[in-house]
């Protein structure tokens, strides 16, 4: 019987780096150990999820002054807050006094994830903070010798907003968020003028985050698990890999198939839609959906009428949480029949996501097998190869000094 060889984190990172150097025609999947190893996961948290840009929210989720949204990432409890000056800020939820979560304690369950507040009060010793993060009051502390009230505001989290999406960089050391490549591909799409119409909370799944991202980003599996759902809509034969890629992003064009096309214009088969398309999109743009990923986990599928945003957060070596928001153009919010169209789209999502979730769990369940090795990648799995390059670039330096 074959015995599974367990590698140190150093060896595992070096193996990923070697694979990332292979040309695409020779590309192979990640080592199976990369999908469950606790040491590698800790390294990913430090170097990727604390060191890179991660999308955590949309601006319309905190529409009014005092609105807040709680998010946890890489053991960092945060909250997105809109201030009285209408500015959006992201703060650590950890009280500056004795480290209590400001939304913990006796905070009502309904208020722990989102709500509206005039200020934030620590449930332990009642330190209170304004919406801009500054310390408003520290009971019986203001006369403490040398106590500087201005020095004990909530710690801000480095953040940037791109087309309505809020990104954070936890360690504050990342280069400015670079999205120009995706912007060129989006062309006339302006997602800053789109709004969340509904959210499907998929909950936590027993699947490593990389398995989820790999499955999302490749269309080769349309001919398998999605043969009755996505394959008729976007046949693998019509999917075009993007003609430009970046070191940390990938896209493909999923073009409508003849079986389900809603018509033809200027020689392009038009993609069926649940709502009217965004204004000013060309027939070419209305013939397809864009499958886009900015590593590690920013995943959007802009379509002429509805954009799907996959908000995934790793929760452990073999688990992640997933919410999927359906965005529609702002101009459609007063459209008659909008809610019905969005509901149909959400139901369709639940169908194919159920297929994805089940197959991903099957993959996860066999990654500890001694026989989980020796695979090869199809050209439509290019995103998996690019993910390996991303992982190698982020993990190799730290991996050289880390061991199990």
């Amino acid at each position: 019987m074959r015995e599974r060889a367990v590698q140190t984190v150093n060896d595992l990172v070096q193996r990923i780096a070697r694979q990332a150097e292979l040309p695409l025609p020779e590309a192979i999947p990640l080592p199976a150990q990369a999908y469950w190893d606790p040491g590698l996961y800790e390294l990913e948290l430090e170097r990727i999820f604390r060191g890179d840009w991660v999308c955590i929210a949309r601006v319309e989720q905190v529409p009014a002054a005092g609105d807040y949204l709680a998010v946890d990432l890489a053991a960092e409890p945060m909250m997105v807050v809109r201030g009285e000056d209408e500015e959006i800020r992201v703060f650590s939820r950890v009280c500056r006094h004795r480290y209590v979560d400001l939304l913990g304690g006796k905070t009502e369950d309904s208020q722990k994830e989102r709500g509206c507040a005039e200020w934030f009060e620590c449930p332990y010793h009642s330190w209170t903070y304004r919406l801009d993060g500054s310390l408003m009051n520290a009971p019986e502390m203001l006369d403490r010798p040398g106590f500087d009230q201005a020095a004990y505001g909530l710690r801000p989290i480095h953040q940037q907003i791109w087309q309505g999406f809020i990104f954070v960089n936890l360690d504050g050391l990342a280069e400015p968020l670079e999205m120009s490549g995706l912007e060129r591909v989006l062309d006339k799409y302006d997602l800053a003028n789109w709004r969340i119409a509904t959210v499907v909370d998929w909950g936590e799944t027993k699947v490593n985050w990389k398995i989820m991202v790999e499955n999302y980003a490749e269309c080769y599996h349309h001919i398998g698990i999605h043969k009755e759902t996505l394959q008729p809509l976007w046949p693998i034969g019509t999917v075009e890999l993007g003609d430009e890629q970046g070191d940390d992003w990938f896209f493909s064009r999923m073009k409508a198939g003849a079986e389900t096309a809603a018509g033809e214009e200027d020689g392009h088969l038009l993609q069926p839609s649940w709502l009217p398309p965004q204004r000013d999109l060309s027939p070419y743009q209305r013939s397809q959906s864009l499958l886009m990923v900015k590593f590690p986990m920013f995943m959007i599928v802009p379509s002429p009428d509805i954009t799907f945003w996959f908000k995934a957060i790793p929760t452990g070596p073999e688990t992640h949480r997933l919410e999927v928001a359906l965005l529609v153009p702002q101009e459609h919010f007063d459209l008659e029949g909008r809610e019905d169209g969005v509901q149909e789209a959400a139901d369709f999502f639940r169908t194919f996501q159920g297929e994805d979730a089940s197959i991903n769990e099957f993959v996860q369940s066999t990654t500890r097998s001694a026989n989980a090795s020796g695979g090869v990648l199809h050209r439509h799995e290019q995103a998996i190869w690019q993910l390996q390059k991303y992982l190698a670039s982020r993990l190799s330096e730290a991996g050289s000094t880390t061991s199990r």
Side-chain angles (χ1 to χ4, degrees), residues 92-359:
S92 167
R93 298 201 310 269
V94 177
C95 181
R96 294 297 308 280
H97 175 221
R98 293 271 295 281
Y99 321 134
V100 170
D101 186 336
L102 296 179
L103 298 181
K106 295 182 179 180
T107 304
E108 295 182 10
D109 289 345
S110 62
Q111 301 294 307
K112 287 182 177 179
E113 293 186 5
R114 67 180 65 224
C116 187
E118 295 183 29
W119 60 77
F120 298 99
E121 180 175 325
C122 177
Y124 198 4
H125 298 95
S126 294
W127 282 36
T128 55
Y129 302 87
R130 299 180 181 88
L131 298 180
D132 65 1
S134 61
L135 180 62
M136 184 166 66
N137 187 33
E140 307 298 328
M141 275 284 200
L142 301 185
D143 58 355
R144 180 182 186 275
F147 183 76
D148 181 3
Q149 183 173 350
Y152 289 94
L154 295 177
R155 287 201 166 94
I157 303 295
H158 195 35
Q159 57 100 359
Q160 280 189 234
I161 296 174
W162 175 79
Q163 293 209 7
F165 293 99
I166 303 170
F167 288 77
V168 295
N169 166 229
L170 294 182
D171 68 12
L173 301 176
E175 295 293 325
L177 181 65
E178 172 54 54
M179 303 292 277
S180 60
L182 273 71
E183 289 173 353
R184 287 193 297 272
V185 176
L186 284 171
D187 194 12
K188 292 181 180 180
Y189 280 101
D190 181 7
L191 299 178
N193 291 321
W194 291 50
R195 296 290 181 269
I196 294 176
T198 192
V199 174
V200 179
D201 186 352
W202 199 259
E204 187 170 75
T205 303
K206 294 180 180 180
V207 173
N208 177 271
W209 71 272
K210 296 184 293 297
I211 288 177
M212 185 271 176
V213 172
E214 289 177 340
N215 178 80
Y216 161 88
E218 58 93 351
C219 296
Y220 184 43
H221 70 291
H222 285 195
I223 61 176
I225 193 69
H226 296 316
K227 64 178 60 178
E228 296 179 359
T229 50
L230 298 187
Q231 175 64 7
L233 180 61
W234 299 308
I236 187 64
T238 68
V239 174
E240 296 180 359
L241 299 176
D243 52 6
E244 66 168 306
Q245 312 293 347
D247 293 337
D248 59 358
W249 64 280
F250 168 87
F251 83 100
S252 60
R253 300 181 184 277
M254 301 186 297
K255 294 190 173 182
E259 181 181 340
T260 59
E264 183 176 344
E265 187 173 342
D266 294 344
H268 301 288
L269 293 176
L270 300 181
Q271 181 171 293
S273 61
W274 293 280
L275 299 173
Q278 175 191 297
R279 295 178 185 145
D280 301 327
L281 294 183
S282 67
Y284 175 69
Q285 290 174 304
R286 288 186 280 123
S287 73
Q288 63 195 265
S289 288
L290 296 169
L291 181 69
M292 312 182 88
V293 56
K294 169 85 166 178
F295 299 126
M297 298 186 80
F298 179 56
M299 297 166 284
I300 55 173
V301 182
S303 300
D305 59 330
I306 292 178
T307 288
F308 294 84
W309 167 39
F310 290 68
K311 176 189 170 184
I313 299 289
T315 56
E318 298 179 79
T319 57
H320 73 273
R321 276 193 56 82
L322 175 66
E323 293 179 359
V324 175
L326 280 64
L327 285 70
V328 304
Q330 177 67 47
E331 65 203 50
H332 290 347
F333 260 75
D334 296 327
L335 182 71
E336 184 177 354
R338 174 186 63 83
E339 293 183 357
D340 291 341
V342 170
Q343 184 61 53
E344 290 178 12
D347 290 343
F348 181 65
F349 162 77
R350 290 185 181 92
T351 299
F352 71 75
Q353 175 60 26
E355 296 167 345
D356 281 328
S358 65
I359 204 69

Side-chain angles (χ1 to χ4, degrees), residues 35-90:
Y35 300 118
W36 55 260
D37 188 276
L40 182 66
Y41 176 70
E42 290 300 318
L43 189 60
E44 291 170 344
L45 290 183
E46 184 62 28
R47 295 287 293 176
I48 293 176
F49 293 102
R50 296 190 65 86
D52 209 339
W53 291 100
V54 179
C55 185
I56 61 168
R58 285 276 304 178
V59 295
E60 64 265 26
Q61 292 179 292
V62 286
D67 286 348
Y68 65 87
L69 176 70
V71 181
D72 292 342
L73 172 66
E76 185 62 58
M78 299 174 285
M79 57 183 178
V80 182
V81 181
R82 188 179 289 271
E84 294 178 350
D85 57 1
E86 296 298 325
E87 288 295 316
I88 290 177
R89 300 175 178 87
V90 183

